Amino acid sequence: GIGIGNMGATDQGAFLGRPDVQYVAVSDVRESVRKTAKERADQHYKNGDCQTHNDFRELLARDDIDVVTIGTPDHWHAPMTMLACTAGKDVYVEKPLTRTAWEARLLTQAAEKYKVATQMGNQGHSMPGVWMLSGSKVPIGTSSSTSDLGTRS
């Protein structure tokens, strides 16, 4: 996870609850937040394997990571999502995805070019209860579910 305080910590907790996710690294500029997030993952998996990175680009450079979550301050969402796409990572990013429609178009083009899945974390539309109410099996407004992140072949 990149930006693992506030909403990033909430996202980490949600993903730790999934049996198909292994949280292997966290990145945040705040050392205390990195430490807390690492401890949360290590306690969950009962090991000390979660690694920490001050610079998110180190996390993106790792070959053993398929998906990243981005829960940073809003103005970082688009640049970090773009870098994650170019690194071949699927992305779950908190809202707002971008500050402008132009940034959104660029991210759409990058996701298509690098063949990655992206999802903006609008929990009001990303939770299974909302899908069931709508009669949909996938989140409204997306082409795949969060469970498809990281499952490219």
Side-chain angles (χ1 to χ4, degrees), residues 61-100:
R62 292 179 53 165
D63 291 332
D64 63 331
I65 294 177
D66 300 317
V67 180
V68 296
T69 61
I70 299 175
T72 58
D74 297 351
H75 63 283
W76 280 105
H77 291 181
M80 288 179 168
T81 299
M82 178 63 77
L83 289 171
C85 288
T86 61
K89 312 298 185 199
D90 290 344
V91 183
Y92 179 90
V93 59
E94 280 301 327
K95 66 180 186 296
L97 174 61
T98 65
R99 296 173 301 122
T100 67

Side-chain angles (χ1 to χ4, degrees), residues 123-140:
Q123 285 75 15
H125 293 141
S126 298
M127 302 183 86
V130 174
W131 310 342
M132 290 184 291
L133 288 173
S134 71
S136 176
K137 293 183 180 176
V138 298
I140 298 166

Side-chain angles (χ1 to χ4, degrees), residues 18-153:
R18 295 182 59 108
D20 57 342
V21 172
Q22 178 73 32
Y23 227 95
V24 298
V26 294
S27 175
D28 200 286
V29 295
R30 297 163 296 178
E31 183 178 7
S32 63
V33 172
R34 283 194 311 270
K35 181 181 175 191
T36 300
K38 174 188 172 32
E39 290 170 354
R40 197 167 31 245
D42 289 346
Q43 287 173 1
H44 177 79
Y45 298 118
K46 297 176 179 52
N47 62 35
D49 295 346
C50 184
Q51 295 181 5
T52 62
H53 300 279
N54 183 56
D55 187 334
F56 74 96
R57 293 169 295 191
E58 295 171 359
L59 188 147
L60 293 178
R62 292 179 53 165
D63 291 332
D64 63 331
I65 294 177
D66 300 317
V67 180
V68 296
T69 61
I70 299 175
T72 58
D74 297 351
H75 63 283
W76 280 105
H77 291 181
M80 288 179 168
T81 299
M82 178 63 77
L83 289 171
C85 288
T86 61
K89 312 298 185 199
D90 290 344
V91 183
Y92 179 90
V93 59
E94 280 301 327
K95 66 180 186 296
L97 174 61
T98 65
R99 296 173 301 122
T100 67
W102 177 73
E103 286 178 339
R105 280 190 221 106
L106 290 176
L107 291 179
T108 299
Q109 292 168 355
E112 290 171 353
K113 178 179 180 177
Y114 295 103
K115 297 178 176 36
V116 296
T118 61
Q119 181 173 342
M120 181 181 68
N122 185 344
Q123 285 75 15
H125 293 141
S126 298
M127 302 183 86
V130 174
W131 310 342
M132 290 184 291
L133 288 173
S134 71
S136 176
K137 293 183 180 176
V138 298
I140 298 166
T142 65
S143 59
S144 63
S145 72
T146 304
S147 64
D148 290 337
L149 294 173
T151 60
R152 301 185 300 283
S153 28

